[in-house]
Amino acid sequence: MLDLVCPQPPLPAASDERRAEIVQGTAPSAECVDDVKETPLPKLQLFILLYLQLAEPITSTVIYPFVNQLVRETGITDGDERKTGYFAGLIESCFYAVEAICVFQWGRASDRIGRKPVLLGGLLGLTLSMIGFGVSRQYWAVVLSRCAEGALNGNIGVTKSMMAEITDHTNRARGFAFLPMIWAVGGTLGCVCPFARLAAPPRPIIGGVFARPADRWPGFKGSPFWTAYPYFLPCIIAACISISAFVFALLGLKETLPRVAARLDGQIQPPKDIEKLTPRLDKPSTTSDQIAQELRVTAEAEERPPQVPLLPLDQDQVVREKSAVEIDVQNANPSKDEASVGIRTILIPRVLLIILNYGFVALIDQAATVLVPLMYSTSIDLGGLGFDPFTIGVIQGVGGFVGGAIQIFTFPYMHRKFGSKKLYICSYSMYFIIFATFPLNSFLTKRAGRVGTATWAVLAVQWIAYVVSYMTWGCIFIYVSDAAPNQKALGITNGLAQTTASTVRAIAPALASSLFSVTLEHRLAAGTLVYWVLCGITLAGLVASRWLPAKLRTDSAVVR
């Protein structure tokens, strides 16, 4: 271990009154620094990372426009169209189900070999599996290709780890604000295809417009290949997005795992942010009380006569400085104990309670995503709004894009103003408004016999609430990254969180749509039971939010 001592950076300047408050111990403990300058975001790295993230929603939704027709053409239904939904549902859900099984292992691998290799492997895997899906003509080949997409998609959790590593606690809120925007862009690309069936969710434009090109596009007509593989074109377009992301990452993305990055650079580079250091269990982190003690000792030293030599600020100071350097060296040159970082490392209340809340967010949001097209497309007599798929697509696409854009500019300010927990609770509670406006809109529309001004007014309130709910994602992403016990466990923490979210996303569509159908079929609670059940689940999520930490660990970090 290196025996190095670094000079202690000077304490921030303070006024005489402020200095007296700190020395006397009367100053607020949370206020350690009068002015903290925000670190600029690394724009190129952020752009590449967001582009990589875009591959996941596109590959997961591109099949929706043609999956029902593809199932029928495989012959698995034996000509009975009533069976289509069962087999199509298996194809749609197996992506998230397999992803839930494998994403944790990708996160663990990224903690060992680095973030960039895992991302590159995931993008290459998505490319190959999408091509395989496009050339599959048997049902089980289609299922296996879809499972491969979910298994090889190691991007979803690792990108959040990289986002935490390219930012620090001064600009992390701004960085994570972009992630929901990527899903909004994916939703915009997922505009309604006019050929989709009425009761289906809005269809991605890539899969809707480019499917069966031999039937629609002059340049493709009469081609034996495009006739034999009518769904290869949308799959190869999605694969091109993944392979272009692979090239961007290969050429421009920098490794962010400190020890791997240091090994690649050939030198030791300590983490730039205070929370990136792996603290020793027997050494508490620097607090405002320690700063106050240092200031008191400094004040006492200044009051002594000049001939009296000044004593060191703190006898433990050298130990702290030495420990910090040792920590940096350990991060750059991992020891043999590094392999011991595993699942038990993150099975602690702080991590598990945050992941529990992540599961509630994923469940409620996915249920809302499923219910919007179902309720909007259902006839007015049955309690819906009777919208056609194009109208639903415009509402969801524009609402999602505008909401994501607004979050980029408002989330960092709101997060700084209210803090993680207050902002999370406020934005999460918007889901209650979203679900409660469904039966209200049904009542108003049915009473008027058409979609009138009152219906559109309630829709506006519903989508305003939905836009505000976007901030829930930024908060929970920051919470998950902050919950990691140390730098070595960041990838595995995000992996476990994404495993939970993917599992819930695999269950939520069937849960919400089945409950919706049962509610309408048996007229439970006048056809509104599904909404009140989801309101109850939302309230349970609000109860779980009380276990979230009031402050992030980085909130009390001292910026020098």
Side-chain angles (χ1 to χ4, degrees):
M1 192 64 65
L2 296 180
D3 188 10
L4 301 177
V5 176
C6 298
Q8 180 76 4
L11 291 170
S15 64
D16 294 338
E17 294 81 0
R18 173 69 180 148
R19 186 185 185 91
E21 288 178 352
I22 297 179
V23 172
Q24 296 171 9
T26 58
S29 60
E31 186 183 352
C32 298
V33 181
D34 291 334
D35 186 19
V36 178
K37 186 176 181 181
E38 181 176 311
T39 306
L41 287 171
K43 296 181 176 59
L44 178 60
Q45 297 301 302
L46 180 64
F47 170 78
I48 296 175
L49 199 60
L50 294 176
Y51 190 75
L52 302 187
Q53 184 74 31
L54 184 64
E56 201 269 349
I58 290 179
T59 54
S60 64
T61 61
V62 70
I63 72 166
Y64 287 165
F66 56 81
V67 64
N68 295 302
Q69 193 168 0
L70 173 62
V71 167
R72 299 186 189 106
E73 292 175 1
T74 61
I76 191 69
T77 61
D78 294 327
D80 187 355
E81 293 190 7
R82 293 175 298 179
K83 298 179 180 179
T84 302
Y86 298 109
F87 294 102
L90 175 61
I91 295 175
E92 293 171 350
S93 297
C94 66
F95 177 92
Y96 293 108
V98 178
E99 181 184 74
I101 297 173
C102 299
V103 72
F104 176 78
Q105 300 302 328
W106 286 120
R108 172 180 288 182
S110 74
D111 283 334
R112 296 177 177 177
I113 65 176
R115 317 295 186 203
K116 186 174 179 178
V118 173
L119 287 177
L120 291 175
L123 290 168
L124 188 59
L126 280 178
T127 302
L128 297 177
S129 57
M130 282 304 306
I131 294 175
F133 191 95
V135 298
S136 298
R137 303 181 67 178
Q138 301 296 321
Y139 178 77
W140 293 112
V142 172
V143 172
L144 290 176
S145 299
R146 186 68 169 170
C147 290
E149 292 176 29
L152 298 174
N153 185 26
N155 308 358
I156 187 68
V158 180
T159 51
K160 295 182 180 67
S161 298
M162 290 196 76
M163 181 66 75
E165 289 167 336
I166 67 173
T167 58
D168 57 37
H169 57 277
T170 65
N171 61 7
R172 183 156 299 143
R174 288 182 57 207
F176 276 104
F178 285 94
L179 290 180
M181 178 63 181
I182 291 302
W183 287 90
V185 171
T188 302
L189 291 176
C191 286
V192 171
C193 167
F195 305 100
R197 59 188 177 89
L198 184 64
R203 301 312 195 179
I205 194 170
I206 294 177
V209 173
F210 295 102
R212 306 188 67 86
D215 298 339
R216 303 175 186 174
W217 305 101
F220 296 88
K221 289 184 178 179
S223 171
F225 177 83
W226 296 112
T227 302
Y229 302 100
Y231 308 110
F232 182 75
L233 183 58
C235 292
I236 196 63
I237 291 175
C240 286
I241 295 175
S242 296
I243 200 63
S244 64
F246 175 88
V247 173
F248 284 154
L250 181 64
L251 299 179
L253 189 65
K254 297 179 180 179
E255 178 59 61
T256 58
L257 192 63
R259 56 184 180 275
V260 177
R263 188 166 61 247
L264 295 175
D265 293 340
Q267 57 184 350
I268 299 174
Q269 295 181 347
K272 65 179 182 179
D273 198 15
I274 191 169
E275 78 268 17
K276 304 289 176 60
L277 299 175
T278 307
R280 294 176 177 269
L281 295 178
D282 57 343
K283 294 291 183 183
S285 59
T286 303
T287 64
S288 59
D289 293 336
Q290 293 173 352
I291 293 178
Q293 181 182 356
E294 292 177 359
L295 284 176
R296 293 190 199 103
V297 175
T298 303
E300 293 173 1
E302 291 176 351
E303 293 174 358
R304 295 190 183 97
Q307 65 273 17
V308 179
L310 297 180
L311 296 176
L313 289 180
D314 190 350
Q315 212 46 32
D316 193 44
Q317 175 180 330
V318 175
V319 177
R320 291 201 306 272
E321 294 167 347
K322 186 175 179 179
S323 298
V325 175
E326 291 175 353
I327 291 167
D328 295 340
V329 175
Q330 287 174 354
N331 282 334
N333 301 286
S335 64
K336 296 180 180 180
D337 295 335
E338 179 180 313
S340 63
V341 175
I343 184 65
R344 292 185 178 180
T345 308
I346 60 175
L347 294 182
I348 57 178
R350 181 182 182 92
V351 175
L352 296 179
L353 291 176
I354 288 174
I355 292 179
L356 173 64
N357 281 272
Y358 192 4
F360 272 109
V361 175
L363 174 64
I364 292 301
D365 185 78
Q366 190 71 18
T369 302
V370 170
L371 280 183
V372 164
L374 277 176
M375 191 272 182
Y376 286 9
S377 62
T378 302
S379 63
I380 296 176
D381 293 339
L382 292 177
L385 302 182
F387 286 155
D388 58 68
F390 181 80
T391 303
I392 300 173
V394 170
I395 293 174
Q396 284 195 301
V398 174
F401 182 81
V402 172
I406 290 176
Q407 166 158 295
I408 291 176
F409 299 102
T410 60
F411 177 75
Y413 170 79
M414 300 295 286
H415 186 267
R416 187 166 56 250
K417 180 76 172 177
F418 298 103
S420 298
K421 186 168 186 177
K422 289 182 180 179
L423 184 58
Y424 175 87
I425 293 175
C426 178
S427 55
Y428 179 83
S429 63
M430 293 297 104
Y431 285 109
F432 187 89
I433 298 177
I434 293 171
F435 293 124
T437 50
F438 278 121
L440 177 60
N441 241 342
S442 175
F443 171 76
L444 294 174
T445 306
K446 187 179 295 185
R447 186 179 65 176
R450 61 184 181 85
V451 176
T453 304
T455 300
W456 285 109
V458 175
L459 277 178
V461 172
Q462 186 179 55
W463 278 94
I464 290 173
Y466 202 65
V467 167
V468 176
S469 73
Y470 274 32
M471 297 187 186
T472 308
W473 291 103
C475 292
I476 202 66
F477 291 158
I478 292 175
Y479 262 125
V480 171
S481 296
D482 184 76
N486 51 57
Q487 174 67 28
K488 298 175 185 178
L490 182 58
I492 197 174
T493 302
N494 276 289
L496 180 61
Q498 195 56 49
T499 296
T500 304
S502 297
T503 302
V504 169
R505 285 184 179 133
I507 298 172
L511 175 66
S513 58
S514 299
L515 189 56
F516 180 85
S517 298
V518 171
T519 297
L520 293 185
E521 183 178 357
H522 298 284
R523 302 298 299 169
L524 301 177
T528 63
L529 179 65
V530 57
Y531 310 124
W532 303 124
V533 170
L534 291 172
C535 283
I537 297 176
T538 304
L539 291 177
L542 282 176
V543 173
S545 68
R546 65 186 294 268
W547 293 315
L548 290 173
K551 290 185 179 181
L552 301 175
R553 289 185 295 180
T554 55
D555 287 344
S556 58
V558 179
V559 182
R560 298 188 184 273

